[in-house]
Amino acid sequence: MTVRTRGTSPSRPADGEVSSTRLRGGGRRRGRPGRLGRRRRPDRPWTDPRDLWSESLAGVLARPVRSVLTTLGTVLGIGTLVVTIGVAATAANQIVGRFDALTATSVSVVVPTPPPGSLDLPLVRWRGVDAVRRLAGVESVAALSDSENTSNIQVRANDVVAPGTVSGQTLSIVAAEATLPAAVRGTMTTGRFFDTGDIERHERVAVLGDQAARLLGIGDVRDAPAVFFNGQSFTVVGVLGGFGREQRLSASVILPPTTAADRVGLKEVTRVLVNTSLGAAAQVARQTPIALAPGHEESLTVLAPPDLSKARKGVEGDVDGLFLVLGLVSLAVGAIGIANITLVTVMERVGEIGLRRALGASRRQVAAQFLAESTTIGLFGGVVGAALGVAVVVGVSVVKRWTPVIDPRLALGATVTGALVGLVAGLYPSLRAARMEPVDALRAPT
């Protein structure tokens, strides 16, 4: 270590400036004028930062195996921290993204039905739903009709009632438009859904939900099976499954609106299901009541998805908090490893410390030497750990087919954190080295 002393170069007085200081024996000493009573500050040795960096790097590389093993603790700690935060952010984004796709685009409108015996006209007619389809941001829409009277109907798969056997299943009867599969994000598992021709001809056809089909034992509609309820038969033309919304329809018998009005008494629209583009739900929710019932929009109840920004932050916060604890534990283990190895290094280099002190190195310079070494180890561990952590997050996202979410500040912050961990871990060993007296250090065995 190069030790330099500030102010050691002699200074000469300027021309014409003469100052005299009385010496013993009456002599005088020429020098620069100074204030009376002013005491000169003692010269302090100082170290060039470049020398400090080069010597700390040499100290780290002098024991490469030990330095690598010490750095490995920081690498594991920083890498675990980056992986946990990165995977948590990616998983939270994936969870909220799926929630957005299913919930943030669903709008429901509840239509009140006139009381029995009322002469009031229905607020929403079946053909009135076409006005909603023309709204910007609407992807699909369908009207439904149900009632308490048709929510528990005995439905049988044949018209033979055998004594001692179950005569049927209790299912709900609903009426819906031909666009229902798209509105509920469902798929036809077998057969087809009734079309506008069936509706106009008042055909006695029905579509079963997948759960209702299993209960009735109907798995194939190629033989035109029929269901029976209220003394009437209806030909099953298809089975609807895979409901993305309105799961209760999986245990229902779905009829065309005209057939339901003639045979079951379901005439008025009770609900309207709307699917929107992502981000358009709030606007569609405000415009749908006006399109369905102009002048009476206050009578309709709109069920719009809530603002998901709070939900997203809540999910990310919960997942981040869970994994952050694991990362901090790993980081603490790495810090303890650096502190232990640095302390051992101090004890092994007692003779070197004594020699430096004897040659004029100050306590501050000795402490800076070991602090620089521990910080260098932490910095290297932070760089390697951040790189490995980012690589693991990307690899996990590729395997899971997720979109990786990595904040650029995370990698930079991880590197700085590694250096800070090394700095903090080297405080005690460096202070212990600085407190050694030169005589005691030179006498100690090396």
Side-chain angles (χ1 to χ4, degrees):
M1 177 182 292
T2 303
V3 181
R4 303 179 183 178
T5 306
R6 299 182 186 271
T8 56
S9 60
S11 59
R12 304 180 61 181
D15 295 341
E17 293 182 353
V18 178
S19 64
S20 60
T21 302
R22 188 174 298 279
L23 303 177
R24 291 182 181 181
R28 295 179 178 273
R29 181 179 63 188
R30 296 180 181 275
R32 299 181 64 181
R35 296 180 181 178
L36 295 177
R38 179 178 179 182
R39 299 178 60 184
R40 296 180 62 185
R41 296 177 60 184
D43 296 328
R44 294 183 179 180
W46 66 285
T47 304
D48 193 327
R50 294 173 296 181
D51 296 336
L52 180 62
W53 166 254
S54 61
E55 293 193 12
S56 63
L57 187 61
V60 171
L61 298 179
R63 301 168 178 82
V65 177
R66 178 183 296 178
S67 298
V68 169
L69 294 178
T70 306
T71 307
L72 185 60
T74 309
V75 169
L76 294 177
I78 295 295
T80 303
L81 189 64
V82 173
V83 169
T84 51
I85 295 178
V87 172
T90 302
N93 182 74
Q94 188 72 13
I95 292 171
V96 177
R98 290 184 178 180
F99 184 71
D100 288 348
L102 295 178
T103 307
T105 58
S106 301
V107 177
S108 299
V109 180
V110 180
V111 182
T113 57
S118 176
L119 299 179
D120 296 336
L121 296 176
L123 292 176
V124 178
R125 298 181 179 273
W126 290 97
R127 295 188 179 275
V129 182
D130 293 336
V132 181
R133 294 188 176 93
R134 295 190 291 268
L135 297 178
V138 174
E139 294 186 350
S140 60
V141 59
L144 288 174
S145 179
D146 55 7
S147 67
E148 295 182 357
N149 297 330
T150 59
S151 60
N152 295 287
I153 301 294
Q154 287 291 323
V155 180
R156 295 178 288 107
N158 54 69
D159 57 352
V160 178
V161 179
T165 61
V166 178
S167 59
Q169 300 290 338
T170 301
L171 304 174
S172 62
I173 310 299
V174 299
E177 290 185 302
T179 56
L180 182 67
V184 297
R185 299 188 178 96
T187 56
M188 299 301 300
T189 59
T190 183
R192 64 177 180 86
F193 204 82
F194 49 79
D195 53 24
T196 55
D198 296 324
I199 296 175
E200 293 176 357
R201 293 190 300 268
H202 297 235
E203 296 286 353
R204 294 169 57 179
V205 295
V207 174
L208 302 179
D210 51 357
Q211 184 178 352
R214 284 193 299 269
L215 293 175
L216 296 174
I218 298 176
D220 191 0
V221 298
R222 288 179 295 181
D223 296 332
V227 292
F228 303 86
F229 54 89
N230 292 349
Q232 304 176 78
S233 63
F234 299 85
T235 303
V236 178
V237 295
V239 176
L240 180 62
F243 291 87
R245 59 183 297 193
E246 298 294 327
Q247 296 288 337
R248 68 183 191 87
L249 293 179
S250 62
S252 301
V253 178
I254 307 169
L255 303 178
T258 53
T259 305
D262 298 338
R263 306 289 178 175
V264 188
L266 293 176
K267 298 181 180 179
E268 292 83 10
V269 175
T270 57
R271 282 187 305 149
V272 178
L273 307 179
V274 184
N275 291 324
T276 70
S277 303
L278 191 60
Q283 177 181 349
V284 172
R286 293 191 299 267
Q287 297 176 351
T288 298
I290 302 175
L292 289 174
H296 301 279
E297 58 271 11
E298 296 83 2
S299 302
L300 305 181
T301 302
V302 181
L303 304 178
D307 185 9
L308 296 180
S309 58
K310 295 182 178 179
R312 182 186 296 273
K313 293 180 180 179
V315 172
E316 292 179 352
D318 293 341
V319 179
D320 288 348
L322 177 62
F323 287 100
L324 185 60
V325 175
L326 301 177
L328 292 177
V329 171
S330 302
L331 196 60
V333 173
I336 294 174
I338 294 177
N340 289 335
I341 297 301
T342 306
L343 184 59
V344 171
T345 303
V346 169
M347 302 309 297
E348 290 181 349
R349 297 164 64 182
V350 172
E352 177 188 340
I353 296 172
L355 182 60
R356 289 178 182 272
R357 293 296 310 280
L359 293 177
S362 66
R363 298 179 185 271
R364 181 180 301 175
Q365 290 175 328
V366 173
Q369 171 71 28
F370 289 96
L371 274 179
E373 292 185 9
S374 63
T375 304
T376 301
I377 293 176
L379 179 62
F380 287 164
V383 172
V384 178
L388 291 179
V390 171
V392 171
V393 172
V394 174
V396 171
S397 301
V398 171
V399 173
K400 295 291 185 180
R401 295 183 179 180
W402 294 348
T403 301
V405 178
I406 301 176
D407 191 345
R409 296 174 296 181
L410 178 60
L412 179 61
T415 303
V416 176
T417 301
L420 291 177
V421 168
L423 179 64
V424 174
L427 284 177
Y428 174 72
S430 61
L431 291 177
R432 183 165 180 174
R435 291 173 182 172
M436 291 184 181
E437 294 296 335
V439 176
D440 297 335
L442 291 173
R443 288 176 179 176
T446 58

